[in-house]
Amino acid sequence: MAYVITQNCCKDASCVPACPVDCIRPLAGAVGEPGAQMLFIDPETCIDCGACADECPVGAVYSEYDLPPELERFRDINAAYFQRHPLEATVPETVSPAPARAELRVAVVGAGPAACYAAAELLGIPGVEVDLFERLPTPFGLIRAGVAPDHQRTKSIVKIFDRAFSDSRFGCHLHVEAGRDITHDELLAHHHAVIYAVGASDSRDLGIAGEELPGNYAAADFVGWYNGHPDHADRSFELSGSRAVIIGNGNVALDVARMLLLDAPALGRTDIAEHAADALADSGIGEVVILGRRGPREGAFSAGEFHALGHLPGIDVVIEGGDLTAHPDDDVETTIKLELAREYADRGTTPGNRRIVFRFNSSPVELTGRERVTGVRVLSTVPGENATELLDTALVLRSIGFRGRALAGLPFDDAAGIIPNERGRVVDSDGRTLPGTYVTGWIKRGPRGVIGTNRTCAAETVAQLLADYAAGTLHRDVGDRGAVRELLAGRGITPVDWPGWRAIDDAERARGASAARPRVKFVTIPELLAGSRG
């Protein structure tokens, strides 16, 4: 018997060192390289000890005999990876040891996965103090406000930070915005180093005619709306039409398509924001078209998320355009995606079902309409074809990538949308290192990878910081945590601390329990602040 890694894999890689026979692949490669979007277990080497299942933070590992019917395919997917990549013994990577004890204070700006991994890594070293600063009253960034409401297992990854964040050496300053409430220079005056993990919150534009029309939104705005992000809770979207068009075909696009088409009972079992659940219950949308400029081989979605679409009750998956033929040099995940696409294409449709339509080799060239969007003009990207088609729709959601935002006092690479850096050390326009200033996550490498990718990314940044500490470049006198509190209090700012967040969390879960839901979220800043006070 063997264990199997399934769809929900976050690539955190906690399972890798837990395996006593080293049979989980692929190992972490270069930071920032997306590579495979999940891990796999070699069924021939697995000794059925279950250590990986115990360690998995998102419940993605099952005994092959306990696989739910909708996940049984992953038994073959895991095996297929090792048929293509036979298991080879690995030599453990040599890592410079961290100091046994460090007198070091570090500020981490942001509270998403990258920030949390960096903070936890630092807190693993005795003597290091970490202060976390986040502009919202809640931590966990896109785990809370980006992961789809029907992916509760993925959200459970936050449990791995419980122990580190309960340490007395961890200071939490939620509802404090770096650059507004406290400057970069002030952070450095109270800490030996600052790590920025602020993500990439801006959405890219289409660059086509008509994109200024109402009815065209960033998919991230829609995601924030249904997840109850305070910045987006008061938005509204046109849901009365029969069709929505999503431009881009990454996992965010697939999440949005599901949320638009799931029925009210299915949404009612999630932690979707109540205002979104109410609006979607009255939605007239029965078809979501997902546009991809290239073919299915280049689809940005993961094999696991693509596979899950085929198990949604009352929803057909339709494939239009693109070469579905597998090539001998295709990697395992691409082969799986093409195989799934062929199966979906052969299924046909069921009268009365809602539909997710993948339109490959299709590029938007214009949004039509006078006062608001009424359609998307689409051009075939197949060489030699110049055919266009107008898709009627009142709702367009662009899911074509993110870019970071410049921060006061720090350099910024506008072309790449990141803070320029060398393996996490921030550098200026002349390539000179800014003392004590570091980055991790999307603001460091761009919007690539999955949640677990941030673990490797954060470890690299922390390694550079510790190397600088060992070299003596961070040694100086700095203010303590009490001085930070006094500075903020003098400006009338009362941060939400970690017990305050736990009060919010407890209250939301209690509200959810009465409705048989994981939680019912507070979605405005005043509600969240009131919740933090119990």
Side-chain angles (χ1 to χ4, degrees):
M1 187 176 79
Y3 277 77
V4 178
I5 297 177
T6 64
Q7 169 199 334
N8 204 47
C9 179
C10 67
K11 214 177 177 185
D12 165 270
S14 297
C15 57
V16 174
C19 177
V21 292
D22 187 31
C23 71
I24 302 175
R25 296 290 187 276
L27 301 179
V31 172
E33 292 297 323
Q37 296 197 54
M38 63 176 289
L39 301 173
F40 308 93
I41 294 173
D42 180 12
E44 298 300 321
T45 308
C46 177
I47 59 172
D48 188 29
C49 69
C52 54
D54 292 339
E55 197 68 30
C56 178
V58 293
V61 185
Y62 291 79
S63 161
E64 65 174 319
Y65 294 123
D66 294 331
L67 283 166
E70 68 274 15
L71 298 179
E72 287 183 353
R73 189 184 201 122
F74 284 91
R75 181 191 296 109
D76 295 334
I77 290 174
N78 279 244
Y81 179 85
F82 291 95
Q83 291 169 4
R84 187 74 62 88
H85 305 283
L87 189 67
E88 296 180 358
T90 61
V91 177
E93 183 179 351
T94 301
V95 179
S96 299
R101 183 176 183 85
E103 299 300 328
L104 182 64
R105 282 179 45 76
V106 181
V108 177
V109 178
C116 292
Y117 278 122
E121 185 91 4
L122 286 163
L123 289 165
I125 303 166
V128 175
E129 289 187 353
V130 175
D131 285 332
L132 189 79
F133 295 85
E134 161 61 41
R135 72 177 184 88
L136 294 176
T138 56
F140 305 133
L142 288 180
I143 299 177
R144 176 179 170 91
V147 173
D150 61 338
H151 281 10
Q152 289 299 309
R153 281 179 176 265
T154 301
K155 294 179 187 240
S156 66
I157 195 171
V158 300
K159 295 176 182 177
I160 67 174
F161 305 118
D162 283 349
R163 181 175 179 182
F165 293 174
S166 298
D167 195 299
S168 62
R169 294 175 294 123
F170 175 70
C172 183
H173 307 271
L174 303 175
H175 199 224
V176 176
E177 183 171 353
R180 183 195 67 183
D181 299 327
I182 188 168
T183 68
H184 173 65
D185 288 342
E186 288 169 338
L187 286 170
L188 278 178
H190 294 83
H191 303 85
H192 298 98
V194 182
I195 299 177
Y196 287 90
V198 294
S201 57
D202 288 348
S203 297
R204 297 185 182 277
D205 294 328
L206 294 169
I208 62 175
E211 68 174 330
E212 75 286 352
L213 290 169
N216 168 40
Y217 306 94
D221 294 342
F222 190 73
V223 171
W225 173 73
Y226 65 60
N227 270 321
H229 192 295
D231 291 353
H232 305 283
D234 61 352
R235 289 180 175 270
S236 61
F237 298 87
E238 178 54 64
L239 302 173
S240 62
S242 62
R243 174 191 287 149
V245 175
I246 303 174
I247 299 171
N249 61 12
N251 284 344
V252 172
L254 272 58
D255 285 347
V256 169
R258 289 198 320 279
M259 291 301 103
L260 283 166
L261 296 181
L262 287 175
D263 59 23
L267 291 175
R269 295 189 290 271
T270 75
D271 66 352
I272 189 171
E274 289 186 290
H275 60 257
D278 292 341
L280 290 168
D282 294 331
S283 169
I285 293 173
E287 177 179 276
V288 177
V289 178
I290 299 176
L291 298 180
R293 182 171 57 85
R294 296 184 292 178
R297 175 170 284 99
E298 295 82 19
F301 48 82
S302 69
E305 293 300 317
F306 194 42
H307 169 269
L309 295 182
H311 295 274
L312 298 176
I315 298 175
D316 294 328
V317 181
V318 179
I319 306 296
E320 295 183 358
D323 179 9
L324 305 182
T325 306
H327 297 166
D329 57 348
D330 287 332
D331 61 40
V332 170
E333 291 194 52
T334 299
T335 301
I336 294 165
K337 287 192 281 189
L338 291 170
E339 183 179 290
L340 288 166
R342 291 194 298 272
E343 291 180 11
Y344 293 150
D346 291 340
R347 279 187 189 178
T349 59
T350 302
N353 274 7
R354 288 150 287 157
R355 307 188 339 149
I356 298 175
V357 180
F358 285 85
R359 288 282 300 267
F360 295 106
N361 298 125
S362 298
S363 182
V365 293
E366 179 187 12
L367 302 185
T368 62
R370 291 188 177 183
E371 297 182 354
R372 61 171 298 110
V373 170
T374 58
V376 182
R377 195 172 303 281
V378 176
L379 171 69
S380 170
T381 59
V382 176
E385 292 186 8
N386 295 305
T388 63
E389 180 182 353
L390 182 62
L391 298 176
D392 294 332
T393 184
L395 178 61
V396 176
L397 299 168
R398 61 187 188 278
S399 184
I400 55 175
F402 302 89
R403 53 179 285 110
R405 185 179 298 174
L407 297 176
L410 296 177
F412 188 69
D413 182 340
D414 191 63
I418 62 172
I419 293 175
N421 68 94
E422 293 180 356
R423 301 185 67 190
R425 292 186 178 98
V426 174
V427 298
D428 64 17
S429 58
D430 295 321
R432 294 174 298 198
T433 301
L434 270 63
T437 308
Y438 306 84
V439 286
T440 189
W442 281 5
I443 198 64
K444 168 188 174 182
R445 67 182 191 273
R448 301 188 302 274
V450 293
I451 290 174
T453 310
N454 292 294
R455 183 177 186 175
T456 306
C457 184
E460 180 187 62
T461 294
V462 170
Q464 305 311 306
L465 187 157
L466 292 175
D468 292 343
Y469 171 82
T473 61
L474 302 182
H475 293 182
R476 54 193 173 81
D477 292 332
V478 298
D480 61 16
R481 186 170 293 158
V484 173
R485 294 194 185 101
E486 289 177 10
L487 174 68
L488 294 173
R491 294 172 180 169
I493 298 167
T494 303
V496 175
D497 58 14
W498 197 248
W501 153 244
R502 296 310 297 262
I504 294 171
D505 186 42
D506 289 344
E508 289 184 340
R509 291 180 184 276
R511 282 155 49 102
S514 64
R517 298 178 58 193
R519 70 173 66 232
V520 173
K521 292 179 178 177
F522 300 119
V523 300
T524 68
I525 298 296
E527 286 179 328
L528 288 163
L529 294 179
S532 73
R533 296 188 289 268

